[in-house]
Amino acid sequence: MTENDYLLAWAAYGLAALGCLLVWFRLTGWMWRWLREPLRLLVAVLLLTPTIVDPAKDLFAPAIAITALDLLFKVGNNAWKAALDLTMYSIIGLTLYLVFASLRWPIERKLQARRAERQAADQADGEPTLREMMQERDHAPGVDTRIDENGDRRLRIEPRL
């Protein structure tokens, strides 16, 4: 295998792995976020982890492919090295994800609390929202909402942002 063939094979594998990763992202899009993100990370590690095949020539191959082929055809001893590489990169990736998630969690809680306070302050204002006006109209069918409290005809109702 020449250098160009080697690089061409890696480029083809890289495109295929990114396509599989994109499909996996679409398949896990409906899941709960704290389950979806680690699953995406694990699949990315499985698809993108290289392992060394020939130390003399510095040739690498995808670790999942080496593991599968060595176990399937029962040849070589590279399966253990590839499995160890997958395990090591998985542990590193999940550790970094846990650090990132533990830093992100309190920030998101603060933002949600601020958003809830802002929404409560908006609800506390005396002016009713469009939803409240529609609910009042549904509960009181005899009330004409086209006339405001001054007796003037209301031309349009603007929602509050």
Side-chain angles (χ1 to χ4, degrees):
M1 177 181 265
T2 65
E3 183 72 22
N4 288 339
D5 292 340
Y6 178 72
L7 293 176
L8 188 61
W10 264 111
Y13 178 79
L15 286 174
L18 288 176
C20 290
L21 200 57
L22 179 66
V23 168
W24 183 250
F25 273 45
R26 297 285 295 188
L27 286 175
T28 58
W30 61 273
M31 291 181 179
W32 181 51
R33 183 170 119 188
W34 298 101
L35 175 65
R36 174 181 64 221
E37 290 175 351
L39 285 176
R40 287 178 175 179
L41 177 74
L42 286 175
V43 169
V45 167
L46 281 175
L47 289 174
L48 303 175
T49 298
T51 190
I52 195 156
V53 178
D54 189 8
K57 296 182 182 178
D58 287 333
L59 294 178
F60 289 88
I64 192 74
I66 294 297
T67 305
L69 291 174
D70 280 0
L71 292 177
L72 183 67
F73 295 123
K74 295 180 173 85
V75 293
N77 59 355
N78 290 332
W80 287 109
K81 277 195 283 184
L84 288 175
D85 285 344
L86 284 170
T87 305
M88 179 184 64
Y89 286 120
S90 297
I91 290 172
I92 290 170
L94 287 175
T95 302
L96 290 174
Y97 172 73
L98 287 175
V99 168
F100 172 71
S102 65
L103 292 174
R104 180 180 63 184
W105 189 46
I107 294 170
E108 286 179 348
R109 288 188 54 146
K110 278 185 186 177
L111 290 175
Q112 286 177 352
R114 241 186 243 157
R115 194 175 303 127
E117 287 175 6
R118 190 178 309 124
Q119 190 175 17
D122 287 346
Q123 293 289 332
D125 292 344
E127 189 176 334
T129 61
L130 179 61
R131 176 176 287 139
E132 292 169 351
M133 292 173 69
M134 295 300 289
Q135 286 174 350
E136 289 174 10
R137 189 189 74 173
D138 291 341
H139 293 308
V143 176
D144 188 11
T145 57
R146 293 176 294 178
I147 298 181
D148 63 3
E149 52 275 343
N150 296 332
D152 296 331
R153 184 164 178 249
R154 194 177 290 192
L155 297 176
R156 87 178 163 189
I157 300 172
E158 294 188 18
R160 288 181 40 203
L161 299 177

